[in-house]
Amino acid sequence: MKPYPTVTTKLVILLGNPLGHSISPPMHNRVFERLDLDYCYMPVEVTEENLPTVFAGLARMNVAGFNVTIPHKTNIIKHLDELDPLAATIGAVNTITVRDGKTKGYNTDGEGFIRSFEEETRSTVHGKSFFLLGSGGAARAIAMTLAFHGAEKISIHNRTAAKAEDLADEINKKIRPCAAAAGQPPDSLRKSLAESDVLINTTSLGMHPQEEVLPLEESLLSPHLIVADIVYNPLMTRLLKSAQGKGCPIVPGLGMLIYQGAAAFKLFTGVDPLVDQMAEVAHSLMAARQ
Ligand code: ATR
C-alpha cells in the first residue's frame, strides 16, 4: 500500500452532514490497507444546498464511489444516472458506484441488517415473522429488504400510526402482500408480538445519551422472540439487556453497520472485504467511546 494517496489512488467519498461521529472511514481504510488496494475513503461534510455542485464535481474526479448518509439519502437520487431496483423501491440510497463516468445508486442498509441477523442467529429471514418498531428511513430499508427476502409477515408499529400504515401499504403494493400495521392498544401489540418470531427496534429510542429509554414496555418481551436493535451506541442497549435477561437471543446493532459497509466495499472494489477486520475496527472505535 502506498503511504499516501497518489494520482492513481481511487477515492471513496462519504457524503453527509454532520460526519464527526462516523466510523466508516477507518473501517474501510484499514481493510484497503490490509488488502493492499489503492483506495482511500474520505468523509466530506456537505450541506443540502451545496450537494448538487459538490456531487457533480466529485463524480468527475478519480472517485470509485460514494457512501451517502443523513440528510442526503433521498435527495441524492435525482442526481444519479441509474438506480438499482431495490434502492428504487426503498426510495433511498446509501451507496453509489461510479463506472465509466456513470453513477449508480444502491441501498445496502437492509442487506446489512439481514446478513448481520443471519450470521448472529445462524438462521434465515425466509419464512420468519417480524415485528418492526418505527417507520423512518432505516425501517423502510429493513422492511422492504425483508419482504424481498421472503419474510412470512411484517407487523409495523410506530408512534405516528399513519406512517406505519403507509409503509405496510407500500410493501404490499410494491413487493408482496406480507405487511400490516400493528394496532396501538397494548392488547393488539401483545397479539402481534406473540405471532412474531423477531422484534426489531429501528427507532432512535435507547440511543446515547438517552440510554435508559426502552422502545416498548418490558412486559411485552417474551423468550420466544429474537430481539434485534439497530441502535449501536451503546453497543448493548437497555432493550438488548432486558431481552437477554428474559432469555431471548439478541442481535446487536453494530453488525448492521459493519455488513452494510462490507456490501458497499464489494460494490466499490469488486473485492470481498475482510469482515472480521471491519468488525475489529468498529468494535475498538466504539469501545473507545463508551
Ligand atoms: P432513521 O433514518 O434513523 O430511521 P427517522 O427517519 O427520523 O430516522 O425515523 C425515526 C423513527 O424513530 C420514526 O419511526 C420515529 O417515529 P415517528 O414516525 O412517530 O416520528 C421514531 N421515534 C423517534 N423518536 C421517538 C420517540 N420519542 N418515541 C417513539 N418513536 C420515536
Side-chain angles (χ1 to χ4, degrees):
M1 172 73 181
K2 297 173 187 175
Y4 42 78
T6 70
V7 75
T8 61
T9 304
K10 295 184 188 71
L11 302 176
V12 177
I13 308 288
L14 172 62
L15 297 171
N17 196 23
L19 292 177
H21 64 283
S22 177
I23 61 172
S24 294
M27 218 168 71
H28 283 82
N29 282 326
R30 169 77 68 92
V31 181
F32 289 149
E33 202 177 316
R34 291 281 169 91
L35 291 175
D36 204 18
L37 295 170
D38 188 14
Y39 283 76
C40 178
Y41 191 108
M42 275 179 42
V44 174
E45 281 185 348
V46 55
T47 61
E48 289 188 40
E49 187 194 355
N50 288 335
L51 182 70
T53 327
V54 170
F55 180 66
L58 285 168
R60 283 164 182 74
M61 288 172 52
N62 50 328
V63 166
F66 297 84
N67 270 147
V68 185
T69 189
I70 291 171
H72 304 313
K73 285 186 182 182
T74 304
N75 50 17
I76 195 74
I77 291 177
K78 56 180 171 292
H79 304 293
L80 301 175
D81 298 311
E82 283 178 71
L83 198 53
D84 172 72
L86 179 58
T89 306
I90 294 168
V93 156
N94 77 329
T95 302
I96 299 167
T97 56
V98 186
R99 302 245 159 78
D100 303 323
K102 293 257 180 271
T103 54
K104 180 168 180 179
Y106 299 83
N107 192 309
T108 68
D109 285 332
E111 298 288 346
F113 174 81
I114 287 177
R115 202 162 153 211
S116 163
F117 176 87
E118 295 191 337
E119 295 273 336
E120 291 277 341
T121 62
R122 299 186 186 284
S123 67
T124 62
V125 304
H126 191 272
K128 286 200 173 54
S129 292
F130 292 83
F131 185 100
L132 240 78
L133 287 170
S135 300
R140 283 184 71 79
I142 291 172
M144 301 269 187
T145 315
L146 286 172
F148 248 80
H149 282 255
E152 170 79 15
K153 192 171 168 208
I154 304 171
S155 304
I156 308 170
H157 176 73
N158 193 45
R159 172 178 63 179
T160 312
K163 278 171 67 182
E165 278 157 26
D166 290 349
L167 178 55
D169 282 351
E170 223 180 302
I171 293 168
N172 293 338
K173 283 193 193 113
K174 288 185 174 172
I175 306 175
R176 279 179 26 243
C178 61
Q184 296 283 352
D187 280 355
S188 50
L189 278 189
R190 206 174 286 281
K191 184 168 176 293
S192 295
L193 277 164
E195 290 166 358
S196 303
D197 305 305
V198 186
L199 165 71
I200 311 171
N201 174 45
T202 73
T203 74
S204 47
L205 297 174
M207 192 188 287
H208 177 78
Q210 293 180 308
E211 303 184 356
E212 283 316 304
V213 181
L214 267 173
L216 91 169
E217 215 183 284
E218 199 164 8
S219 68
L220 291 168
L221 292 173
S222 96
H224 81 279
L225 284 168
I226 299 172
V227 177
D229 202 336
I230 70 160
V231 172
Y232 60 86
N233 185 11
L235 292 171
M236 275 297 283
T237 59
R238 179 150 176 230
L239 173 67
L240 293 177
K241 285 183 190 160
S242 298
Q244 215 170 31
K246 295 220 174 191
C248 307
I250 59 163
V251 181
L254 196 60
M256 172 174 165
L257 182 82
I258 294 163
Y259 283 109
Q260 65 75 32
F265 188 104
K266 177 88 191 265
L267 286 166
F268 299 140
T269 63
V271 173
D272 273 318
L274 304 166
V275 177
D276 287 354
Q277 295 204 349
M278 282 187 151
E280 190 189 305
V281 177
H283 279 281
S284 65
L285 285 164
M286 291 311 300
R289 286 184 193 180
Q290 303 291 306

